[in-house]
Amino acid sequence: MKKRNCFIGQSGGPTTAINASLAGIIAECIDTQQFAHVYGMINGVKGLLENKYMDLLEIFKSTEDLNHLKHSPAMYLGSCRYKLPEFQEDPQTYQLLFQLFNELEITDFYYIGGNDSMDTVAKLSTYAKTIDSHIRFIGIPKTIDNDLMGTDHTPGLGSAAKYVATSMLEIAYDSSIYKLNAVTIVEIMGRNAGWLTAASALARTAYSDAPDLIYLPEVPFSKKAFLEDIHAVFKKKRSVIIAVSEGIRNENGEFLDSDSKYAKRDAFGHILHSGTGKVLESMVYQEFKCKVRSIELNVLQRCAMHIASAVDLDESFEIGRYAVKTSMAGETSVMMVFNRTSNNPYTIECDFKDVTSIANLEQRIPVEWINEDHNDITQDLYNYLYPLIQGEIAITYENGVPQYANINHLKNN
């Protein structure tokens, strides 16, 4: 039987768990003994257009190697934010890619990423059909935003949620030491979907009820109600801790932190939000004239391997394995998904769905999972998030710091 050859790419923003999916794909390719070459595209499809790729079977040869990769943050293969054009508008780009696929006798293509990455998978698989190509195109989800449709949750959310909850708990302890009125505002990633901000509720323990207030982008944000909420909390305690999504909007649908006319945007045209915490900090200080601090967790939410969720990494590894099984079974133009089969005990199964029905859509928190006052989450949302942050991993240390995978191949790209 003729051996298979595949390409694997990573795209979009990194997560703590995305390398686990890469490791799962490589592991399954090795175990099948049917792959001659497992190529990794450096910096995604954009790097592939520049002929940048490496043979991963020459690097990862043992379970120990793959575990090392699985427990390394960010993206081993590097990333890109490249919007693949429609093939009717730019056929040369597709011809260049498929010429390379044909030269390397590619049989399978795996792309790990978020919504825009699934758009790439959909476009490549659609073009493949027009030229009668038999290459299998498979999308593997990842995003801390958890905004991909069709799957119970996305790999990467659990570890980011665990970091947010842990940081919130530690902030709460830090804020408890002084006998003075204070407000701490923690700004958390989430452009349109508030899943990660909602995960701050997982910090609540028998000794700490922080965050006291949670504001999500799925419902309108009222400045008047916000200040009234803080007044109400101050009646019970001296330290108020607030979790807020970077993407909250006022009643008119306008972002708090930027005028859309002048806002910075990423390669896909999405507004780059940061500064919501600072806007609220000024607002709170003017109202209460007390100690106010805003904290932006920023990229730490997506790269904190030292506090990764074991459930998240294990699931990410398995969905990578299942992606290989799916393409070898003849499927193409699909995204791998999780189906939750039980919440208590928590169990999931891997499956797949048509990627063209998923790409460019957005999964947001159901409004019924947000309380009536729009300043907290319901128990249903807590129960949904809770299983995803369970378990810890063993990190290898050298000279007192974590020892992660060697990424020298990314330095000059």
Side-chain angles (χ1 to χ4, degrees):
M1 181 183 295
K2 188 176 181 180
K3 290 279 190 176
R4 305 174 78 100
N5 301 297
C6 72
F7 261 122
I8 313 173
Q10 297 171 312
S11 179
T15 77
T16 304
I18 191 169
N19 281 338
S21 291
L22 173 61
I25 297 172
I26 298 169
E28 187 65 24
C29 287
I30 292 172
D31 288 351
T32 65
Q33 299 184 348
Q34 293 189 37
F35 285 81
H37 298 283
V38 176
Y39 297 110
M41 55 189 95
I42 299 176
N43 298 120
V45 168
K46 190 173 190 300
L48 198 57
L49 286 165
E50 299 166 1
N51 217 37
K52 295 178 180 177
Y53 59 90
M54 59 201 298
D55 196 332
L56 298 171
L57 294 185
E58 295 177 358
I59 301 168
F60 299 100
K61 299 180 179 179
S62 68
T63 300
E64 182 180 358
D65 292 338
L66 290 171
N67 281 336
H68 196 196
L69 174 62
K70 179 181 176 181
H71 293 160
S72 293
M75 297 154 114
Y76 177 80
L77 294 173
S79 184
C80 67
R81 290 192 179 276
Y82 173 70
K83 184 77 170 179
L84 193 66
E86 299 289 344
F87 70 84
Q88 297 93 337
E89 300 171 0
D90 184 7
Q92 291 82 8
T93 294
Y94 289 81
Q95 291 163 7
L96 184 62
L97 286 171
F98 278 79
Q99 180 181 340
L100 179 60
F101 296 160
N102 292 333
E103 289 173 358
L104 297 177
E105 299 182 318
I106 298 299
T107 54
D108 308 87
F109 181 102
Y110 307 104
Y111 213 43
I112 317 170
N115 222 322
D116 295 308
S117 302
M118 296 308 112
D119 177 66
T120 295
V121 173
K123 287 174 177 175
L124 289 173
S125 58
T126 299
Y127 178 77
K129 291 174 185 175
T130 67
I131 62 171
D132 200 27
S133 169
H134 297 293
I135 300 173
R136 308 296 176 182
F137 292 89
I138 310 291
I140 298 95
K142 71 85 210 170
T143 173
I144 64 171
D145 292 332
N146 196 44
D147 58 355
L148 277 170
M149 293 291 290
T151 182
D152 176 79
H153 60 278
T154 54
L157 170 66
S159 293
K162 192 179 184 80
Y163 175 84
V164 167
T166 301
S167 298
M168 188 64 69
L169 181 60
E170 292 170 345
I171 289 168
Y173 269 67
D174 184 87
S175 301
S176 69
I177 62 176
Y178 296 113
K179 295 191 93 173
L180 52 83
N181 283 357
V183 177
T184 303
I185 300 163
V186 184
E187 180 184 333
I188 299 166
M189 282 182 171
R191 183 191 303 125
N192 297 314
W195 300 101
L196 200 53
T197 304
S200 63
L202 299 169
R204 293 167 178 162
T205 69
Y207 310 104
S208 172
D209 52 7
D212 302 290
L213 301 165
I214 300 174
Y215 298 96
L216 307 174
E218 282 81 0
V219 290
F221 177 83
S222 164
K223 294 179 182 179
K224 181 175 181 290
F226 172 68
L227 296 174
E228 289 174 351
D229 291 342
I230 297 174
H231 274 291
V233 178
F234 266 142
K235 291 178 181 178
K236 303 182 228 177
K237 57 196 296 193
R238 63 177 182 268
S239 178
V240 183
I241 299 178
I242 301 168
V244 58
S245 168
E246 64 179 348
I248 57 172
R249 300 170 175 84
N250 63 23
E251 297 93 331
N252 298 321
E254 300 164 337
F255 291 103
L256 264 64
D257 66 339
S258 60
D259 183 327
S260 60
K261 184 168 62 174
Y262 301 109
K264 294 180 180 178
R265 298 175 183 269
D266 66 15
F268 298 102
H270 306 315
I271 293 176
L272 295 171
H273 297 289
S274 64
T276 299
K278 286 296 180 185
V279 172
L280 296 179
E281 180 183 333
S282 298
M283 188 189 310
V284 171
Y285 181 76
Q286 290 174 16
E287 175 75 12
F288 296 96
K289 297 297 190 291
C290 66
K291 179 183 177 182
V292 187
R293 175 186 287 119
S294 62
I295 300 169
E296 185 183 349
L297 298 184
N298 211 300
V299 298
L300 296 172
Q301 295 157 95
R302 67 189 195 189
C303 62
M305 182 60 73
H306 63 283
I307 194 67
S309 158
V311 165
D312 188 28
L313 264 62
D314 289 343
E315 289 182 349
S316 300
F317 184 84
E318 288 306 315
I319 205 169
R321 275 191 175 276
Y322 199 77
V324 177
K325 295 176 181 176
T326 300
S327 68
M328 291 185 66
E331 299 293 339
T332 188
S333 190
V334 299
M335 183 185 86
M336 309 310 300
V337 302
F338 290 131
N339 295 326
R340 189 175 305 209
T341 49
S342 172
N343 210 43
N344 189 20
Y346 170 70
T347 55
I348 61 159
E349 61 182 14
C350 292
D351 200 356
F352 56 86
K353 291 182 179 177
D354 178 6
V355 72
T356 60
S357 67
I358 294 170
N360 302 310
L361 298 178
E362 195 169 48
Q363 175 172 266
R364 307 179 74 193
I365 295 174
V367 175
E368 58 268 25
W369 282 5
I370 302 171
N371 73 343
E372 291 184 5
D373 292 331
H374 294 177
N375 62 12
D376 207 342
I377 69 169
T378 67
Q379 189 64 41
D380 285 339
L381 181 47
Y382 184 98
N383 293 343
Y384 165 85
L385 292 165
Y386 176 80
L388 307 182
I389 70 165
Q390 301 307 307
E392 291 72 47
I393 64 169
I395 297 290
T396 301
Y397 285 80
E398 183 176 338
N399 298 324
V401 295
Q403 183 185 30
Y404 295 139
N406 186 331
I407 54 171
N408 279 334
H409 56 280
L410 298 180
K411 290 183 178 179
N412 298 318
N413 287 307

